[in-house]
Amino acid sequence: MHRPFLRHTALALLLACGLARAAERPAFGVIADIQYGDKEGSVSRDYRGSLERLDRCVDTLNGQRLAFVIQLGDLIDGYPTNRPASEADLDRALGRLSRLKAPIRHVVGNHCLNAGAHALTRKLGLERFFYTFTEPAAPGWRFVVLDGNDAGYGVISEAQLAWFGETLARAQQAGERVLCFCHFPLLKTAAEHHRMAKPEAVLALLDAHPCVAGWFAGHEHTGGYARQRHVHHLTLRGLVEAPGSTAFARFELADDRILETGFGNEPSRELFLGGAAAPRTRRLSFENGRVWPDDRSVHINAHGGGLLHHDGAYYWYGEHKIAGKAGNVAHVGVQVYRSHDLYNWTNEGVALAVSEDPASDIAKTCVLERPKVLHNAQTGKFVMWFHLELKGQGYRAARSGVAVADRPAGPFTFLRSLRPNAGVWPRNVTAEQQALTPADLDRLKGLTFSGGPNEETPKHNLLARDFAGGQMARDMTLFQDDDGKAYHIYSSEENSTLHIALLSDDYLSHAGPYVRVFENRWHEAPALCKRGGRYYLLASGCTGWAPNAARAAVAPSIWGPWTELGNPCVGVNPLNRLGPEKTFGAQSTFILPVAGRPDAAIALFDLWRPDNAIDGRYVWLPLRFTDEGFTVVWRDTWDLGVFDAPQP
Ligand code: GAL
């Protein structure tokens, strides 16, 4: 027999065994907050449409081998003063669920109670609303369903608590692993706004029983996740708040982990078992606008960020912010994180520290924004540029800072700050701009400008005003072209006009050539990418921390001519109900080409929280090229697999 044949047979056998084992793993489906109602809803809370989404969810779940499917409560929205109408909605929803091939298990939520306990007991086939079950297909696992309302809204009775304690004790003794299902989440970290009223006693029981692996809840439609000690607290996204999408999950039980495969808005994750010492949960998708925990379970602190791909790893540099309004100035510097998959990030610490020396340009409490890093192949150095405002001077200085490091995570050494292109006219300067007299100059120096869109600024020759001392530079990005040349793109001339400037070969200074683009359009937050020889720009308007409509443009050369395109954004962010007119509540910061995937790019945005800067959130969305330009369609949750699917 040929050796290769043997090898192939052995491989095929191994693969077959592996697949068989994977196929045998017990799995179940979970749907939360279907909240059906034959009534009008709102933009994001779509009661009537829940039925159609439920149909799609049932179709998908019927394609899988599942031990059971559990609905986590609020099957209907109901009518507090109309039991018959609530019952009618319940019947309709149950009718759709009856198409499920797998057995259905029910959790009762607060809205379900509108149909009355008697009808619920009968129609859901339950003797009482808290119970426990096992499944032959899932040996060693015990499932416990809790009633979060038996002593009032979100309150568990003493009797149920006693039963829960006994159930857990027995499971512990029998060596079972336990998953709990309840309509109400317990932890603020797993559900920001809506939770069980008094979760302490329940949490104490979970703490005391290492057999508990998970607490699965609904109620908070925007979902959430946290791990506390040995327990994974999952809050599933609500189907009622997934118009245009869906939200449900399949959970597969392996020996060492639970694999969550989310559909629609529901994320995917690997939840490791084995108690507090187990590895951290691994994210398998992006979740927009939520807390994004790093390897230490702390929300990523890298705002106005930029990414670098180097030696197989991604580095995410951003503004480190502290809590409160104070966080809008730099107390720490630039933070850096590292990742191999873009979903899970390791905190690598401070890449560039602000200085304790009050005389330094980057003295603590300066404004240090939008840091971007490039690797210079010629010098081998990592070069960082950022927008710098000197300590205590508000946004007057409008400077650029540059720092350099030998390694991607730093530490970076601050070199200097400057106003770009002092004594250099742009390539597209006009004779009129160059003809400023000393008297005009004196007059101009006495004027002040708002730094925002207004009628006054365009009347003045700010380019010439700043010719000698260098051009103003605020919001900025860097762009590295295929030929290794790098460009600094910054909002200049009181934010009215963008400049695109070539950097020197070592990237440490400006080479001289630059152009003025989008004159008097007040573009901020620029981000650039290139595809098929064309250059694409994503930017915002100029309204400070408040969101505005995104802007897009395309050019055959980085020097232009740049043609403005329409707003590339599509869709609505259900967390704040903001759509394209406000860029989902966010502002652009970077475009990341995905390594190894031609044509795949991610548009990165910040959802600023200027009142509590550290809590700023991130929005990462697939950027899809079209014949004319590109689109950025809202997705609550997504993974890189979207780039494999044909464009919708
Ligand atoms: C925004 C800008 C931010 C920050 C902020 C300050 O327009 O994009 O980076 O500078 O203004 O108000």
Side-chain angles (χ1 to χ4, degrees):
M1 206 180 282
H2 291 307
R3 278 186 174 278
F5 175 78
L6 247 182
R7 246 202 328 260
H8 283 143
T9 320
L11 191 69
L13 266 173
L14 270 176
L15 271 174
C17 291
L19 285 176
R21 214 173 314 132
E24 278 164 19
R25 275 186 199 153
F28 60 90
V30 183
I31 319 169
D33 296 81
I34 296 165
Q35 219 160 324
Y36 167 67
D38 186 13
K39 57 181 172 182
E40 285 311 308
S42 61
V43 185
S44 54
R45 194 176 278 218
D46 171 30
Y47 303 117
R48 200 169 273 131
S50 255
L51 224 46
E52 181 269 332
R53 287 190 292 281
L54 184 55
D55 279 340
R56 282 191 281 131
C57 158
V58 168
D59 288 342
T60 308
L61 291 175
N62 278 346
Q64 330 241 344
R65 223 197 341 204
L66 300 171
F68 62 93
V69 172
I70 187 158
Q71 69 83 10
L72 286 179
D74 285 3
L75 175 52
I76 53 163
D77 189 64
Y79 313 85
T81 54
N82 192 344
R83 226 164 238 198
S86 304
E87 277 194 52
D89 284 352
L90 184 65
D91 288 340
R92 234 167 275 141
L94 284 172
R96 302 303 173 103
L97 276 177
S98 69
R99 285 203 306 114
L100 275 171
K101 287 187 190 152
I104 175 85
R105 301 282 184 175
H106 295 284
V107 176
V108 172
N110 46 300
H111 278 275
C112 299
L113 295 178
N114 283 326
H118 181 65
L120 283 172
T121 313
R122 213 164 16 94
K123 292 177 194 280
L124 302 183
L126 298 175
E127 277 168 32
R128 60 179 188 185
F129 301 160
F130 58 92
Y131 57 99
T132 173
F133 64 98
T134 55
E135 287 289 340
W141 286 91
R142 170 159 299 279
F143 307 99
V144 182
V145 175
L146 284 305
D147 175 4
N149 294 301
D150 73 336
Y153 174 67
V155 186
I156 288 195
S157 68
E158 289 298 324
Q160 187 183 175
L161 267 180
W163 169 86
F164 185 41
E166 282 158 25
T167 306
L168 293 184
R170 267 199 299 273
Q172 185 73 46
Q173 208 156 29
E176 293 172 329
R177 279 171 156 167
V178 176
L179 293 181
C180 305
F181 301 103
C182 179
H183 182 64
F184 294 89
L186 301 175
L187 300 176
K188 186 165 166 48
T189 41
E192 266 187 285
H193 307 290
H194 306 283
R195 294 178 300 280
M196 190 176 278
K198 290 185 190 133
E200 294 76 16
V202 179
L203 284 167
L205 284 175
L206 300 186
D207 277 355
H209 295 90
C211 61
V212 181
W215 180 273
F216 290 56
H219 196 50
E220 168 107 337
H221 300 169
T222 52
Y225 168 82
R227 192 173 86 177
Q228 183 158 297
R229 302 197 189 190
H230 49 277
V231 183
H232 295 279
H233 291 255
L234 275 100
T235 310
L236 279 96
R237 310 269 158 101
L239 194 69
V240 69
E241 294 216 30
S245 182
T246 182
F248 59 98
R250 171 186 198 271
F251 290 88
E252 197 173 298
L253 301 171
D255 286 344
D256 62 339
R257 71 193 75 184
I258 302 174
L259 176 68
E260 175 180 16
T261 306
F263 295 85
N265 291 353
E266 181 61 23
S268 301
R269 329 170 158 97
E270 267 183 315
L271 312 164
F272 293 94
L273 302 173
R280 295 272 161 216
T281 307
R282 203 154 69 94
R283 302 162 72 88
L284 302 171
S285 46
F286 300 108
E287 297 175 55
N288 281 317
R290 268 88 177 176
V291 166
W292 190 339
D294 66 6
D295 60 313
R296 304 173 197 173
S297 299
V298 176
H299 181 46
I300 289 174
N301 197 344
H303 310 267
L307 270 77
L308 170 76
H309 185 248
H310 183 77
D311 265 356
Y314 289 98
Y315 295 85
W316 175 356
Y317 305 86
E319 303 158 24
H320 177 287
K321 302 217 183 232
I322 64 165
K325 287 190 178 142
N328 295 315
V329 297
H331 294 261
V332 173
V334 176
Q335 192 85 357
V336 59
Y337 294 80
R338 187 172 46 84
S339 171
H340 289 281
D341 59 13
L342 294 171
Y343 311 122
N344 299 282
W345 292 90
T346 303
N347 187 345
E348 294 280 324
V350 180
L352 172 67
V354 292
S355 172
E356 293 295 336
D357 173 4
S360 163
D361 280 6
I362 57 163
K364 196 171 178 169
T365 72
C366 66
V367 169
L368 198 170
E369 291 179 341
R370 298 182 178 271
K372 304 286 178 279
V373 173
L374 295 179
H375 177 239
N376 187 300
Q378 277 179 31
T379 63
K381 303 278 186 196
F382 297 85
V383 179
M384 178 190 290
W385 283 85
F386 51 90
H387 166 204
L388 177 70
E389 298 292 347
L390 303 173
K391 176 182 166 151
Q393 296 189 20
Y395 277 80
R396 273 199 303 284
R399 298 175 78 79
S400 302
V402 57
V404 68
D406 292 328
R407 281 176 300 278
F412 281 77
T413 306
F414 174 64
L415 296 183
R416 66 186 163 276
S417 86
L418 50 90
R419 277 196 167 187
N421 294 314
V424 183
W425 291 111
R427 284 174 158 207
N428 53 352
V429 67
T430 63
E432 199 188 336
Q433 281 165 330
Q434 288 177 296
L436 195 80
T437 65
D440 287 341
L441 198 60
D442 272 355
R443 185 184 48 81
L444 256 181
K445 284 194 175 144
L447 297 178
T448 49
F449 297 89
S450 68
N454 64 64
E455 287 174 9
E456 253 335 277
T457 310
K459 295 180 189 159
H460 303 281
N461 188 350
L462 303 178
L463 179 79
R465 180 197 68 182
D466 296 333
F467 175 76
Q471 299 298 324
M472 297 177 85
R474 291 201 182 110
D475 274 14
M476 57 143 281
T477 195
L478 296 179
F479 175 73
Q480 191 174 42
D481 212 335
D482 317 322
D483 57 5
K485 288 197 187 318
Y487 300 83
H488 181 206
I489 298 103
Y490 51 90
S491 301
S492 195
E493 303 176 39
E494 305 286 352
N495 295 333
S496 67
T497 300
L498 268 190
H499 289 186
I500 300 181
L502 180 68
L503 291 177
S504 55
D505 286 349
D506 60 9
Y507 300 172
L508 297 177
S509 54
H510 292 84
Y514 74 106
V515 283
R516 303 174 69 237
V517 288
F518 309 105
E519 188 177 21
N520 297 322
R521 289 281 293 134
W522 280 277
H523 275 45
E524 283 202 320
L528 242 80
C529 69
K530 185 181 187 183
R531 184 237 189 186
R534 302 213 287 175
Y535 296 78
Y536 294 88
L537 171 93
L538 173 66
S540 73
C542 180
T543 53
W545 299 119
N548 53 56
R551 294 157 178 214
V554 62
S557 152
I558 195 153
W559 301 121
W562 284 89
T563 308
E564 280 203 51
L565 304 163
N567 183 340
C569 298
V570 180
V572 175
N573 172 357
L575 297 176
N576 55 20
R577 305 195 177 150
L578 296 176
E581 71 296 342
K582 298 282 182 207
T583 314
F584 318 118
Q587 189 183 26
S588 46
T589 182
F590 196 69
I591 299 175
L592 172 73
V594 182
R597 286 180 188 253
D599 284 356
I602 304 178
L604 277 63
F605 302 82
D606 289 283
L607 250 155
W608 303 114
R609 297 247 165 116
D611 289 339
N612 186 19
I614 196 173
D615 195 31
R617 306 291 172 89
Y618 310 101
V619 172
W620 289 26
L621 293 168
L623 184 152
R624 309 306 303 261
F625 296 101
T626 62
D627 289 345
E628 303 78 43
F630 62 89
T631 59
V632 178
V633 180
W634 173 264
R635 283 171 186 264
D636 211 47
T637 302
W638 64 285
D639 60 55
L640 296 172
V642 305
F643 293 117
D644 300 331
Q647 288 215 43

